[in-house]
């Protein structure tokens, strides 16, 4: 389970730094998420570089502009340190340089620049000693103050209240910075564990008495003294402490702790930390933590840093509890309440990232009942609305609506929540899917209690602008559910036009909508058609292409607003068309395949016949050559025979001549 980390709300004066981004650094190549992480690291490193206190510590993820001014007024040289904006920019510039390099020499130059410009010092090591001293001092502030006499404490309180505004601001900033990172109690309460329960309880009672008005009827220290005596004896004898006796002491301490909100701002965190430490030694800390959270949800004496201090304390309490501890529910409720009262979008954004990933797991681990889950969702919705996030507010209102059981769907509380959810959905410019609402039993119960509002929901779910105009003509918006939609006439009509165009695009078989048809359906001039089409595309209801040449809108995709019997019939018709088309394609493929096979067989047969013809011609040629050779042999023999007889007859002729 990740800890709940909340950003400080302290608004301090900013001072611009002398740092400028390198000319070869491409800020657009870095995602906004990465730049936000860089700024978080920069804000964490700044007070460490300053030795523990920074009066100006800001960073803008959009431009990476930052400021870091120490308590002495000097601007910190953060470029020499890691985990700062100059460090991250230097490393990213090196990566971009390597990516753009085309030779080894260029890469070596990138590496040389990196070694020369990127910071290497560790900011945490700079202020380790001073931070330890500051933390120990802040954790024991309440104890030190409480150990003084009542008169001295009163004097100290008035003196602290009259200190200069700069000193007070520095203390508040330091406390916010020290505790805004969600550290665990094992770190925060090291200084507090030096005393026993009875000693710390007695000192806390003295501190409460010092904060109370002088004319207070009784002293808290006097009230708890008889209860502490048996506990002291147990501590001295090393016996097992009586936790029920501790609970009696804590009941009085926690009941009187409401006065802590009026304490000097530099002492509030330490005082609450001491109280939380004592409460953790109770038999059941949960019964006290819920009341402490109630105190913190109320305004604190510091008008400028009150919300920051409260969130810091609540974050500490949240992280000291086990992930499955249901007391975290009360802490989260109080945190959301503080953020809602402050209206800070920065603090809510920090909480929002936790809600998106952790809230489902928290709800499952805490095993909340329906009423508790509904209360939490509504609190988050209110905080989101106050911080300028109506979309998230609508999401949690619907989730709160879903926690209502069917048996309570007609209850007045359920009816009120259903009207709120329905009104918010109808007027929200980005909500076009009303299925989660129609599936709610509480919304269905509006058929009886608020039938006109439910009828309007049905029009927005499946009908068109014509039906809406007819409904509004018969039933003015001011007469619906006490006039909750009286001021939303224009917004509802514009939204209905977008929904009508979506239905028109989804029901057009040819996927081509002439401008004239759109203008008639939306009841707008033809010159405004393209504007409404573009707005519908931006809403994600349709996709397509405008053709000014042919004055038509070519629909590529359209969203069905409802999917009932009519839509299923349309899908069936389209599937039948696709089936016939596929059958035709398969028929063409089959005939072409048969033709290909047939032509292949014919070609093979022709090749075979051609091969046989060549074989016959070759055989005949061989016979002719063989016959010719025989004739040549016979002729040669006839020519050679007289030449062989001549030598024998020559002597005869010669003898005869003699």
């Amino acid at each position: 389970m990740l800890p709940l980390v909340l950003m400080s709300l302290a608004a301090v004066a900013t001072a611009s730094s002398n740092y400028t981004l390198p000319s070869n650094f491409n800020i657009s190549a870095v995602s906004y998420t990465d730049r936000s992480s860089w700024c978080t690291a920069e804000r964490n490193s700044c007070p460490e570089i300053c030795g523990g206190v920074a009066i100006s510590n800001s960073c803008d993820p959009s431009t990476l502009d930052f400021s870091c001014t120490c308590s002495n007024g000097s601007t910190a040289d953060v470029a020499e340190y890691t985990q700062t904006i100059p460090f991250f920019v230097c490393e990213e510039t090196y990566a971009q340089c390597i990516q753009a390099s085309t030779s080894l020499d260029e890469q070596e130059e990138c590496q040389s620049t990196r070694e020369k410009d990127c910071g290497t010092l560790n900011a945490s090591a700079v202020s380790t000693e001073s931070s330890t001293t500051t933390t120990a001092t802040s954790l024991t502030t309440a104890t030190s103050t409480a150990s003084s006499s009542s008169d001295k404490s009163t004097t100290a309180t008035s003196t602290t209240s009259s200190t200069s505004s700069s000193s007070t601001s520095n203390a508040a900033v330091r406390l916010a910075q020290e505790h805004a990172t969600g550290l665990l109690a094992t770190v925060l309460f090291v200084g507090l564990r030096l005393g026993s329960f009875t000693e710390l309880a007695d000192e806390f009672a003295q501190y409460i008495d010092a904060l109370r008005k002088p004319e207070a009827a009784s002293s808290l220290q006097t009230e708890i003294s008889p209860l502490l005596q048996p506990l002291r004896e147990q501590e001295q004898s090393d016996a097992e402490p009586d936790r029920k006796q501790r609970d009696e002491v804590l009941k009085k301490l926690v009941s009187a702790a409401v006065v802590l909100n009026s304490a000097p701002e530099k002492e509030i965190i330490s005082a609450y930390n001491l109280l939380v430490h004592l409460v953790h030694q109770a038999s059941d800390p949960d019964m006290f933590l819920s009341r402490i959270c109630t105190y913190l949800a109320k305004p604190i004496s510091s008008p400028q840093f009150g919300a920051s201090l409260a969130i810091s304390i609540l974050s500490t309490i949240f992280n000291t509890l086990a992930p499955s501890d249901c007391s975290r529910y009360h802490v989260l409720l109080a945190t959301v309440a503080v953020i809602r009262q402050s209206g800070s979008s920065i603090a809510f954004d920090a909480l929002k990232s936790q809600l998106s990933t952790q809230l489902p797991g928290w709800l499952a681990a805490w095993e909340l009942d329906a009423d508790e889950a509904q209360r939490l969702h509504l609190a988050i919705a209110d905080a989101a609305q106050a911080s300028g996030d109506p979309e998230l507010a609508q999401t949690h209102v619907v989730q709160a609506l879903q926690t209502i059981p069917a048996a309570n769907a007609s209850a007045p509380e359920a009816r009120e929540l259903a009207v709120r959810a329905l009104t918010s959905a109808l007027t929200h410019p980005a909500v076009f899917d009303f299925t989660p609402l129609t599936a709610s039993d509480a919304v269905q119960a509006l058929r009886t209690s608020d039938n006109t509002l439910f009828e309007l929901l049905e029009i927005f779910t499946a009908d068109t602008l014509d039906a809406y105009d007819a409904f509004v003509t018969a039933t003015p918006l001011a007469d619906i559910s006490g006039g909750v939609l009286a001021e939303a006439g224009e917004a509802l009509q514009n939204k209905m036009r977008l929904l009508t165009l979506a239905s028109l695009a989804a029901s057009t078989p040819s996927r081509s909508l002439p401008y004239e048809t759109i203008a008639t359906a939306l009841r707008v001039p033809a010159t405004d058609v393209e504007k409404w089409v573009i707005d519908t595309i931006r809403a994600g209801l349709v996709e397509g292409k405008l053709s000014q040449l042919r004055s038509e809108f070519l629909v590529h995709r359209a969203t069905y607003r409802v999917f009932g019997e009519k839509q299923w019939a349309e899908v069936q018709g389209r599937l039948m068309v696709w089936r016939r088309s596929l059958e035709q394609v398969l028929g063409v493929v089959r005939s072409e395949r048969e033709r290909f096979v047939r032509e292949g067989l014919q070609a093979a047969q022709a090749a075979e016949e051609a091969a046989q013809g060549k074989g016959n011609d070759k055989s005949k040629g061989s016979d002719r050559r063989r016959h010719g050779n025989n004739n040549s042999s016979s002729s040669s023999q006839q020519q050679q025979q007289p030449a062989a007889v001549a030598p024998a007859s020559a002597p005869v002729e010669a003898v005869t001549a003699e």
Side-chain angles (χ1 to χ4, degrees), residues 1-7 179-184 311-312 314-320 328 331-333 335-336 339 347 350-355 358 362 366:
M1 185 70 66
L2 295 176
L4 178 64
V5 181
L6 297 177
M7 298 177 63
H179 301 289
T181 55
L183 297 177
L184 297 177
I311 291 176
S312 174
L314 290 168
S315 300
T316 300
I317 298 174
F318 189 92
N319 294 315
T320 62
R328 278 189 161 194
V331 180
L332 183 58
L333 267 181
T335 304
V336 172
I339 293 176
L351 176 64
K352 181 179 177 180
S353 61
Q354 295 289 324
L355 295 177
Q358 303 294 333
W362 289 341
W366 299 339

Side-chain angles (χ1 to χ4, degrees), residues 524-596:
V524 296
T527 55
D528 293 342
V529 167
E530 292 184 355
K531 166 186 172 298
W532 286 103
V533 172
I534 292 173
D535 288 344
T536 309
I537 293 175
R538 287 175 177 171
L541 297 175
V542 297
E543 291 179 2
K545 182 179 180 181
L546 288 167
S547 176
Q548 294 180 338
L549 182 62
R550 293 184 293 181
S551 296
E552 64 180 8
F553 174 52
L554 303 177
V555 182
H556 297 165
R557 181 193 65 82
T559 301
Y560 284 101
R561 295 165 58 192
V562 293
F563 216 88
E565 183 178 353
K566 179 180 178 181
Q567 286 71 34
W568 280 115
E570 183 178 347
V571 170
Q572 183 182 17
R574 292 186 179 182
L575 289 176
M576 293 300 296
V577 172
W578 292 344
R579 178 179 178 179
R580 286 193 294 269
S581 299
L582 290 175
E583 288 176 348
Q584 294 175 0
V585 171
L586 289 175
V588 172
V589 171
R590 189 180 298 110
S591 62
E592 288 297 317
R593 180 180 179 182
E594 292 174 354
R595 183 179 64 82
F596 177 78

Side-chain angles (χ1 to χ4, degrees), residues 390-588:
E391 187 171 354
L392 184 63
Q394 172 64 19
T395 299
H396 282 279
V397 168
V398 173
Q399 291 179 355
L401 191 65
Q402 294 171 348
T403 63
I404 300 176
N408 299 334
S410 300
E413 297 80 4
R415 181 257 174 194
E416 181 180 355
L417 181 56
V419 171
R420 174 184 174 180
L422 186 50
T423 303
S424 175
L426 291 174
T427 56
H428 195 290
V431 176
F432 298 98
D433 182 12
F434 302 97
T435 304
L437 291 174
T438 56
S440 170
D441 294 324
V443 172
Q444 290 294 329
L446 295 179
R447 289 178 181 270
T448 304
S449 60
D450 299 77
N451 61 327
T452 53
L453 183 60
F454 190 85
E455 184 179 352
L456 184 61
L457 171 63
E458 291 181 323
I459 292 175
F460 272 83
T461 300
D463 230 318
T464 61
L465 182 63
D466 292 338
Y468 170 78
D469 288 342
F471 171 82
V472 172
T473 302
T475 308
L477 295 177
D479 297 340
I480 299 176
S481 300
V484 292
L485 297 172
E487 304 296 330
E490 183 178 358
L492 293 177
Q493 188 178 51
N494 292 340
K495 190 172 187 177
M496 198 68 238
R497 284 195 171 101
L498 301 181
L499 293 171
T500 300
L501 181 54
S503 297
L504 193 63
S507 60
T508 302
S510 64
R511 294 298 183 180
S512 176
L513 285 175
Y515 283 8
E516 183 179 356
T517 302
I518 298 175
T520 302
L522 303 188
R523 298 184 181 181
V524 296
T527 55
D528 293 342
V529 167
E530 292 184 355
K531 166 186 172 298
W532 286 103
V533 172
I534 292 173
D535 288 344
T536 309
I537 293 175
R538 287 175 177 171
L541 297 175
V542 297
E543 291 179 2
K545 182 179 180 181
L546 288 167
S547 176
Q548 294 180 338
L549 182 62
R550 293 184 293 181
S551 296
E552 64 180 8
F553 174 52
L554 303 177
V555 182
H556 297 165
R557 181 193 65 82
T559 301
Y560 284 101
R561 295 165 58 192
V562 293
F563 216 88
E565 183 178 353
K566 179 180 178 181
Q567 286 71 34
W568 280 115
E570 183 178 347
V571 170
Q572 183 182 17
R574 292 186 179 182
L575 289 176
M576 293 300 296
V577 172
W578 292 344
R579 178 179 178 179
R580 286 193 294 269
S581 299
L582 290 175
E583 288 176 348
Q584 294 175 0
V585 171
L586 289 175
V588 172

